[in-house]
Amino acid sequence: MLRGVDDPVAVQYEVEYLASKRRKSKDGVIFFDHFLKDEWRRYCDDTGRHMSSESKKCLLDISSNEVNDKYLREESFKLWEISIDSDDLEVLKAIDEQDVRCSHAIWARARRQDKTIVSLLIEKIKENPGYWWQAGRYILTEEMTQFLAETIKKVADDNKREESWILPELLSKLNPSKVEELLISCWEKLRTIPEFVQIALYTATPNLISLARKSIQDSDNPKSLFEHYSLNVGIRTKGREGITRLEQLDAIQPYFDLLSDGDLHFLWEEGRKLGWTDYVARYLEPVIEGRDSEFIGRVFKKSSINTSCLDKDLEKGGRINLYHWVDMEKRQGWTRNEIFSALMIWFEKNKGIPALKVAGAVVSDSGGRSEYATLEKAASGLQGACEVLDQIRFEVYSRTLM
């Protein structure tokens, strides 16, 4: 419950918790700590709410204290660097290569677009390309772009697919003529690698479209060339533009039938969001409507709000299918009020403690105080509701003032 609380005591508790989990992970227990840091990333990136100087100072002091073990120093430093301030670079440049925070500092300097770090960053990329090229996304200078060309050539020569996953994202940040130059120079060795076929179509220059088309025609398994399409071209991916030009959609149009159900649905959402409704209706919707799959039947609904996720969780007694349900229905064109009205209708139809827990999970995650008040009124008189409502109210009121 302390996630995102901007107080020195709270952030110190968080990093002590993370450090304790890291220590236990030495015994073979894998620990994923994304939820705490992601909460702060959302605050900083999405709402512009940055960590206070008092909290940042507390974290920096913990990370700088050599009495603390490396786990506590690293975790406090990683949380400190999430919130970017104008004075950060001075701190980061003072961290030497013997410091346990050194690698994290290099990443942090790249994230702050410190061009003086480029040479050191390139050395790091040489050591572990798949990992360190992720930091390269923040600082694609001319020198970095040249090194990107060398990396692409190496991937082409060695056919190292494990190092190619980040490259489409980096290429998508360059202008189309530069992408064309980099890909054409070694296309014969790249033409069977899905990430490069997809980014060629995404770049959508006539030359690259022609090369991609020939690769697809020559493939024994053309569908395999379109695996993870949305991810590779940045659709619904934080920090990436995704599809922005109709030419990009036009380039992929002949291959709609080779895309997965999920990729088709994401393209449909993007096309409608960008105002290409006639194009989507003419070329994309017939392909989607021709798919006989549970996924398409569940998410591709334009006539009514889809409450099947609620039904499934009611049946299973959990909250497995509710992840992003509200956001999913918003992308279908429904307003927030319409979605929560449908939720209340569903609750009235299935009224009981199990249904209250399902509806409450939605309100806890995505609702506000007014939605809670509506649910509380609807549950009035339901035996055993008070304890469930108290928990929902606590979660909603802890998260929002509205």
Side-chain angles (χ1 to χ4, degrees):
M1 295 307 298
L2 292 176
R3 284 180 290 172
V5 175
D6 190 1
D7 181 89
V9 175
V11 295
Q12 179 172 346
Y13 174 83
E14 288 179 3
V15 295
E16 287 174 347
Y17 168 79
L18 293 173
S20 69
K21 291 294 185 180
R22 284 274 310 282
R23 293 184 195 105
K24 292 178 182 178
S25 71
K26 290 190 302 179
D27 300 325
V29 179
I30 298 175
F31 171 60
F32 295 99
D33 63 352
H34 302 300
F35 65 98
L36 282 172
K37 298 185 182 75
D38 282 352
E39 190 81 9
W40 273 109
R41 287 191 186 95
R42 282 193 291 271
Y43 286 132
C44 296
D45 298 342
D46 298 342
T47 70
R49 173 192 154 193
H50 290 269
M51 189 180 290
S52 66
S53 58
E54 292 81 9
S55 293
K56 286 204 67 169
K57 182 179 184 304
C58 173
L59 292 171
L60 185 59
D61 288 345
I62 294 171
S63 77
S64 303
N65 190 344
E66 296 183 2
V67 173
N68 296 324
D69 69 9
K70 72 171 186 175
Y71 302 108
L72 183 54
R73 293 184 67 195
E74 286 179 346
E75 292 306 321
S76 58
F77 185 76
K78 287 189 286 185
L79 190 58
W80 171 86
E81 89 85 13
I82 286 173
S83 183
I84 297 177
D85 282 343
S86 57
D87 297 333
D88 290 350
L89 274 178
E90 183 179 349
V91 173
L92 293 168
K93 289 179 178 180
I95 295 175
D96 63 42
E97 60 182 13
Q98 304 304 319
D99 197 305
V100 297
R101 303 168 296 171
C102 179
S103 290
H104 307 301
I106 294 171
W107 191 291
R109 288 172 66 179
R111 203 162 78 87
R112 287 156 178 79
Q113 299 182 325
D114 176 13
K115 294 181 181 179
T116 66
I117 200 67
V118 167
S119 296
L120 187 52
L121 181 56
I122 286 175
E123 292 306 310
K124 285 290 185 180
I125 294 172
K126 289 177 181 178
E127 295 172 9
N128 187 348
Y131 177 77
W132 278 101
W133 260 122
Q134 295 176 81
R137 61 164 66 106
Y138 303 112
I139 188 168
L140 271 180
T141 62
E142 185 175 344
E143 185 180 357
M144 288 289 288
T145 303
Q146 178 58 42
F147 186 65
L148 176 60
E150 296 174 20
T151 302
I152 292 171
K153 186 178 185 305
K154 187 173 186 299
V155 168
D157 290 340
D158 300 341
N159 197 26
K160 289 191 173 182
R161 288 286 308 281
E162 69 275 8
E163 295 182 4
S164 67
W165 71 272
I166 186 65
L167 300 182
E169 176 180 348
L170 300 171
L171 287 167
S172 71
K173 295 178 181 295
L174 304 177
N175 65 62
S177 62
K178 188 63 178 180
V179 177
E180 184 174 291
E181 175 190 330
L182 295 179
L183 294 185
I184 287 179
S185 66
C186 46
W187 181 255
E188 282 306 307
K189 295 180 179 179
L190 298 174
R191 66 194 304 273
T192 61
I193 301 178
E195 292 87 348
F196 293 105
V197 173
Q198 292 172 32
I199 205 66
L201 291 171
Y202 173 84
T203 306
T205 65
N207 285 337
L208 288 179
I209 291 173
S210 177
L211 290 173
R213 182 188 304 119
K214 184 67 166 58
S215 295
I216 296 162
Q217 290 172 347
D218 293 345
S219 175
D220 293 332
N221 184 9
K223 191 170 184 178
S224 68
L225 295 175
F226 291 90
E227 292 177 351
H228 311 300
Y229 172 77
S230 294
L231 179 64
N232 287 331
V233 302
I235 297 175
R236 287 180 59 188
T237 304
K238 188 176 179 61
R240 298 185 63 187
E241 292 184 333
I243 298 289
T244 59
R245 297 178 285 126
L246 188 56
E247 293 89 344
Q248 293 170 312
L249 195 58
D250 213 27
I252 195 70
Q253 182 267 322
Y255 314 109
F256 283 163
D257 60 327
L258 299 177
L259 298 178
S260 69
D261 291 345
D263 288 333
L264 284 175
H265 184 247
F266 292 163
L267 272 180
W268 180 80
E269 289 181 341
E270 288 296 292
R272 285 166 56 88
K273 183 175 73 176
L274 292 166
W276 305 329
T277 52
D278 290 342
Y279 188 98
V280 166
R282 181 178 179 182
Y283 295 108
L284 187 53
E285 289 183 6
V287 179
I288 294 176
E289 290 166 351
R291 294 283 177 95
D292 182 18
S293 72
E294 186 274 338
F295 176 83
I296 292 297
R298 174 162 53 86
V299 303
F300 190 64
K301 299 280 188 182
K302 292 185 288 183
S303 58
S304 63
I305 291 176
N306 183 2
T307 58
S308 63
C309 292
L310 309 179
D311 295 331
K312 286 184 178 181
D313 278 9
L314 179 62
E315 179 184 345
K316 295 178 180 179
R319 50 192 295 179
I320 300 169
N321 297 286
L322 295 178
Y323 185 64
H324 286 332
W325 175 69
V326 172
D327 288 339
M328 184 180 295
E329 294 305 313
K330 282 182 180 178
R331 290 194 295 270
Q332 297 287 344
W334 300 103
T335 67
R336 178 187 176 86
N337 287 340
E338 289 170 333
I339 295 167
F340 279 98
S341 293
L343 177 67
M344 291 302 109
I345 292 170
W346 178 89
F347 174 67
E348 291 289 353
K349 178 182 176 183
N350 298 278
K351 201 166 187 175
I353 294 299
L356 178 60
K357 290 180 178 179
V358 172
V362 177
V363 173
S364 293
D365 288 342
S366 306
R369 299 189 180 194
S370 61
E371 284 80 24
Y372 168 77
T374 302
L375 180 62
E376 182 183 43
K377 183 176 180 181
S380 176
L382 185 63
Q383 187 173 359
C386 290
E387 184 177 350
V388 179
L389 287 169
D390 284 347
Q391 180 62 33
I392 299 167
R393 184 181 189 278
F394 176 74
E395 292 174 356
V396 171
Y397 276 59
S398 297
R399 181 172 50 76
T400 179
L401 297 175
M402 300 295 290

